[in-house]
Amino acid sequence: MEEKKNILTYAGLKKYEDELEDLKINRRKEVAEKLKEAMAQGDLSENAEYDAAKDEKRDIEARIEEIEKILKNVEVIPEEDVKLDKVNVGCTVTIHDLDEDEDLDYSIVGSNEANSLEGKISNESPVGKALMGAKVGDTVTVETQAGSFQYRVVKISRADAG
């Protein structure tokens, strides 16, 4: 079975690459120093600092492995390839919530970049799925566990580079 492509914007790719570099260069060095200091204290069987440093090292290595796996199978959406005639990954869409009578702005990103607090929703989320392919003026219905919601697409623009 072919692995699912990890869709990223250039900003998302850079974020992962920067985090990976920080983990490999800075964080590994910091935790190695903590381990060295903890080992210098002697008896490791009752050494909380040693255990904490070992746990931190394990977490760092797991995150490095996770990021490398994401980057190994990545598909970057070039900003210049994002068409603005319909909602797609890499664009920002302004939608009007017909129930609440308010406008909402979302950047459509791949699932690895999704962060609702930053207004970035996945193309695989219920709202993202419903919006994919919609054009300005279209009304989409989103089915969720909380019920169905209707949104009208007001504007499609390039995603912010951040």
Side-chain angles (χ1 to χ4, degrees):
M1 186 172 105
E2 191 177 322
E3 270 189 79
K4 179 182 129 192
K5 286 276 186 209
N6 297 307
I7 299 172
L8 294 176
T9 60
Y10 276 122
L13 177 65
K14 177 155 178 35
K15 187 175 151 214
Y16 276 119
E17 288 174 340
D18 291 348
E19 181 183 357
L20 185 61
E21 184 178 357
D22 180 57
L23 287 168
K24 286 182 166 183
I25 294 171
N26 301 321
R27 299 289 309 279
R28 273 182 173 165
K29 195 180 294 181
E30 290 169 13
V31 80
E33 192 59 39
K34 287 179 186 177
L35 279 166
K36 186 175 156 187
E37 289 171 15
M39 288 169 40
Q41 294 174 9
D43 185 10
L44 299 181
S45 64
E46 296 179 17
N47 188 327
E49 287 86 6
Y50 179 73
D51 290 339
K54 272 187 8 189
D55 289 346
E56 187 178 351
K57 179 176 175 32
R58 183 194 64 235
D59 294 346
I60 289 169
E61 295 304 324
R63 182 63 180 156
I64 287 171
E65 189 176 317
E66 180 183 1
I67 294 172
E68 286 177 337
K69 186 176 179 186
I70 290 168
L71 295 179
K72 185 180 117 209
N73 204 28
V74 72
E75 180 180 337
V76 178
I77 304 297
E79 192 174 307
E80 60 273 8
D81 288 357
V82 175
K83 305 288 184 248
L84 300 179
D85 59 334
K86 60 184 178 182
V87 176
N88 209 329
V89 173
C91 73
T92 295
V93 60
T94 301
I95 57 176
H96 185 77
D97 184 328
L98 297 176
D99 299 317
E100 298 293 323
D101 193 30
E102 66 179 342
D103 284 351
L104 306 165
D105 290 319
Y106 291 116
S107 293
I108 309 295
V109 296
S111 59
N112 289 301
E113 276 183 88
N115 182 335
S116 59
L117 298 176
E118 295 176 2
K120 295 178 179 180
I121 61 170
S122 166
N123 61 321
E124 298 173 13
S125 70
V127 174
K129 269 186 192 171
L131 289 171
M132 291 296 289
K135 297 178 172 152
V136 172
D138 287 356
T139 298
V140 299
T141 301
V142 179
E143 301 292 339
T144 70
Q145 291 177 335
S148 68
F149 302 91
Q150 290 202 312
Y151 303 104
R152 188 177 64 250
V153 178
V154 177
K155 182 174 131 190
I156 303 169
S157 59
R158 299 226 181 272
D160 297 331

